[in-house]
């Protein structure tokens, strides 16, 4: 579970022209609330909220800015990669149905792309919309599509399969369930509203029809926008600040590390990326038996604010050589944060953008909870693989986690207006 973690959760910016927040002493009557929320449908925000299921009367006041937040579908890189963490997520892998090949796959990706464009704009899907998200805006909805290793054999496109999509090596920490790993096609859904995310999930499943069937599905969550007093790095289910050293789009080498170049190979992957997906169960009962100090030594950072044990604030450079009065390393030699640093792994970098999950109590009587790990990189053999191999050789966190499912997917660049995701592959 490499430390180069998730982007910071950002509170949605207040759109221009949005109403001034009411003071604590100012109240909204039930009639006024119902009149605003029920009769108006989706209210347009200056930040780009799209027309939804019902038109808002002139001068209507949105109750929240969360629903107004919209992500564009037709962009250079597919949505759902560089956006801030969303509150709800669904990861779904599909296998092509019996008899389905390249033609059926192309038609499916065209349907999925049209559905994604509509739903991300706050509109209903084209056919058989369930109405689940009727009262909500786009709520930062994103849908992201990728191809697994097996997809290319099923569609006769083996010559177009990227070398970077070669199966991941076995790792000593793996306890993989093959029925919940890999797949021909992969869809990532994220939103700041649970019903909006579920609405998109149902639309994608219905669009699949007989062309593809669900292989596995995983559901996750993050902290809701605005839940903290100010924007801050997220915490995982172990209570650790998780995301401090993530690459940032403003970094000069960000695109080089995360995205396939426009002149890269294969050509259909231009501006795309590779997603490693791992279901990592956290052994929380064992973890929570440790004292806070012991947990900090496992990670190498303070639990309170994410600062390195060598001192400073969250973003301070970690001093790997600093020792205490007894001559012991302040950041232990096997601390997770030490092992996963890019400068300790030949510069290996990846953009982590995971969701937490909780699936109740397992058959062993302990919480089935942890991390739906998702990381993005231009080449997993230079990103995820070297870091995970290093972790295999002695990460202090290993006794408290278990990798239970895995997948690697080629995620092509964004679709141009009038095109669908993967068109260069399927029609090239």
């Amino acid at each position: 579970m490499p430390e180069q973690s998730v982007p910071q959760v950002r509170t949605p910016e207040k759109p221009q022209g949005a109403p001034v927040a009411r003071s604590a002493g100012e109240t909204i009557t039930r009639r006024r609330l119902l009149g605003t929320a029920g009769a108006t449908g989706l209210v347009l925000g200056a930040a780009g909220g799209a027309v939804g299921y019902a038109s808002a009367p002139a001068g209507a006041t949105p109750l929240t800015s969360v629903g107004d937040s919209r992500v564009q579908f037709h962009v250079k890189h597919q949505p759902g990669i560089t956006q801030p963490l969303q509150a709800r997520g669904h990861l779904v892998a599909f296998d092509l149905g019996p008899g389905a090949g390249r033609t059926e796959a192309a038609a499916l990706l065209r349907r999925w792309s049209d559905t994604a464009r509509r739903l991300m704009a706050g509109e209903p899907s084209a056919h058989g919309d369930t109405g689940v998200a009727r009262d909500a805006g786009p709520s930062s909805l994103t849908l992201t599509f990728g191809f697994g290793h097996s997809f290319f054999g099923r569609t006769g496109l083996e010559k177009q399969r990227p070398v970077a999509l070669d199966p991941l090596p076995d790792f000593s920490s793996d306890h993989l369930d093959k029925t919940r790993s890999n797949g021909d096609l992969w869809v990532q859904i994220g939103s700041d509203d649970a019903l909006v995310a579920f609405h998109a999930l149902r639309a994608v499943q219905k669009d699949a029809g007989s062309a593809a069937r669900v292989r596995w599905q995983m559901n996750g969550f993050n902290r809701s926008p605005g839940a903290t007093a100010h924007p801050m790095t997220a915490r995982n289910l172990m209570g650790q600040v998780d995301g401090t050293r993530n690459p940032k789009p403003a970094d000069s080498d960000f695109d080089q590390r995360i995205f396939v170049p426009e002149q890269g190979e294969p050509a259909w992957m231009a501006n795309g990326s590779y997603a490693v997906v791992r279901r990592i169960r956290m052994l929380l009962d064992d973890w929570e038996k440790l004292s806070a100090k012991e947990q900090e030594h496992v990670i190498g950072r303070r639990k309170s604010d994410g600062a390195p044990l060598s001192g400073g604030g969250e973003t301070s450079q970690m001093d790997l050589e600093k020792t205490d009065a007894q001559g012991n390393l302040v950041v232990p030699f096997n601390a997770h944060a030490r092992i996963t640093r890019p400068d300790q792994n030949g510069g290996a970098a990846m953009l982590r953008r995971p969701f937490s999950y909780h699936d109740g109590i397992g058959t062993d009587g302990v919480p089935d909870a942890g991390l739906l790990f998702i990381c993005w990189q231009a080449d997993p053999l230079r990103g995820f693989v070297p870091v995970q191999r290093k972790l295999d050789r002695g990460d202090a966190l290993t006794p408290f986690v278990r990798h239970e499912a895995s997948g690697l997917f080629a995620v092509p660049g964004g679709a141009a207006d009038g095109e669908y995701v993967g068109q260069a592959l399927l029609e090239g």
Side-chain angles (χ1 to χ4, degrees):
M1 193 167 60
E3 192 224 12
Q4 309 163 44
S5 194
V6 292
Q8 290 189 352
V9 177
R10 295 205 302 266
T11 303
E13 294 180 359
K14 183 178 178 181
Q16 294 179 1
V20 176
R22 293 176 171 82
S23 65
E26 202 170 349
T27 60
I28 303 177
T29 66
R30 175 178 174 82
R31 178 177 298 175
R32 184 175 179 183
L33 177 63
L34 292 175
T36 304
T40 62
L42 171 65
V43 181
L44 298 185
V51 176
Y53 291 81
S55 298
T61 302
L63 296 179
T64 173
S65 61
V66 172
D68 286 334
S69 182
R70 176 182 175 183
V71 180
Q72 297 295 324
F73 176 72
H74 293 297
V75 288
K76 181 178 181 180
H77 310 296
Q78 280 199 61
I81 301 177
T82 60
Q83 279 74 33
L85 286 177
Q86 294 139 305
R88 295 291 185 271
H90 300 291
L91 310 180
V92 196
F94 293 81
D95 286 333
L96 291 174
R102 182 173 175 177
T103 300
E104 292 74 17
L108 174 57
L109 266 297
R110 185 179 291 278
R111 289 195 299 275
W112 275 351
S113 295
D114 180 64
T115 294
R117 177 186 60 80
R118 289 171 175 272
L119 298 188
M120 287 172 57
E123 302 170 4
S125 55
H127 305 288
D129 191 273
T130 63
V132 171
R134 182 182 304 274
D135 309 305
S139 304
S140 300
L141 176 68
T142 60
L143 291 92
T144 316
F145 306 99
F147 304 104
H149 185 274
S150 56
F151 175 83
F152 298 85
R154 294 292 306 274
T155 54
L157 292 166
E158 291 95 336
K159 292 183 179 180
Q160 293 297 322
R161 181 190 290 135
V163 174
L165 201 58
D166 285 350
L168 296 173
D170 294 331
F171 301 105
S172 63
S173 58
D174 286 353
H175 296 78
L176 304 182
D177 178 353
K178 293 184 179 180
T179 65
R180 293 195 294 179
S181 298
N182 302 312
D184 294 340
L185 294 159
W186 176 67
V187 184
Q188 173 190 259
I189 298 169
S191 176
D192 285 334
D193 180 79
L195 285 180
V196 169
F198 179 81
H199 178 236
L201 173 66
R202 289 297 297 139
V204 165
Q205 291 171 338
K206 291 174 66 176
D207 279 349
S210 62
R213 60 182 183 272
V214 173
R215 177 180 177 88
W216 54 259
Q217 178 186 321
M218 300 175 189
N219 311 309
F221 59 90
N222 284 305
R223 177 175 281 156
S224 297
T228 56
H230 53 82
M232 60 178 294
T233 309
R235 290 185 185 271
N236 59 34
L237 297 189
M238 288 179 162
Q240 301 295 143
V241 174
D242 191 356
T244 303
R245 294 190 59 82
N246 226 13
K248 297 175 176 58
D251 296 343
S252 59
D253 60 351
F254 181 85
D255 282 2
Q256 177 185 345
R257 294 184 174 203
I258 307 305
F259 294 112
V260 176
E262 292 189 4
Q263 305 304 320
E265 293 292 337
W268 65 268
M269 273 295 290
N271 299 315
S273 189
Y274 292 91
V276 174
V277 181
R278 310 274 281 184
R279 185 182 192 270
I280 304 176
R281 185 172 178 178
M282 295 177 173
L283 307 181
L284 295 177
D285 283 354
D286 294 336
W287 174 255
E288 291 163 3
K289 291 176 183 176
L290 300 180
S291 67
K293 184 176 182 180
E294 289 172 326
Q295 292 177 355
E296 290 178 343
H297 278 84
V298 168
I299 301 300
R301 291 181 174 274
R302 291 200 301 257
K303 191 169 184 177
S304 60
D305 59 4
L309 296 184
S310 55
E314 181 188 347
T315 59
S316 297
Q317 188 73 11
M318 183 176 290
D319 184 350
L320 300 180
E321 306 302 323
K322 187 174 181 179
T323 57
D324 60 20
Q326 289 72 42
N328 300 313
L329 289 170
V330 173
V331 180
F333 73 94
N334 61 347
H336 184 74
R338 173 189 286 268
I339 293 175
T340 58
R341 285 170 56 96
D343 58 9
Q344 301 294 302
N345 294 279
M350 58 191 124
L351 176 66
R352 286 193 53 195
R353 198 176 179 278
F355 293 93
S356 294
Y357 78 88
H358 179 217
D359 291 339
I361 303 299
T363 56
D364 52 4
V366 299
D368 185 3
L371 196 69
L372 300 181
F373 172 92
I374 308 163
C375 72
W376 301 90
Q377 59 259 282
D379 183 351
L381 293 179
R382 294 185 290 112
F384 172 78
V385 172
V387 177
Q388 189 60 40
R389 280 177 169 159
K390 188 81 171 287
L391 292 171
D392 258 14
R393 292 196 292 267
D395 178 21
L397 187 59
T398 297
F400 304 99
V401 298
R402 188 161 63 216
H403 293 237
E404 297 185 335
S406 179
L408 172 61
F409 302 95
V411 177
D417 192 10
E419 297 182 352
Y420 64 87
V421 173
Q423 186 167 334
L425 168 65
L426 292 164
E427 297 186 16

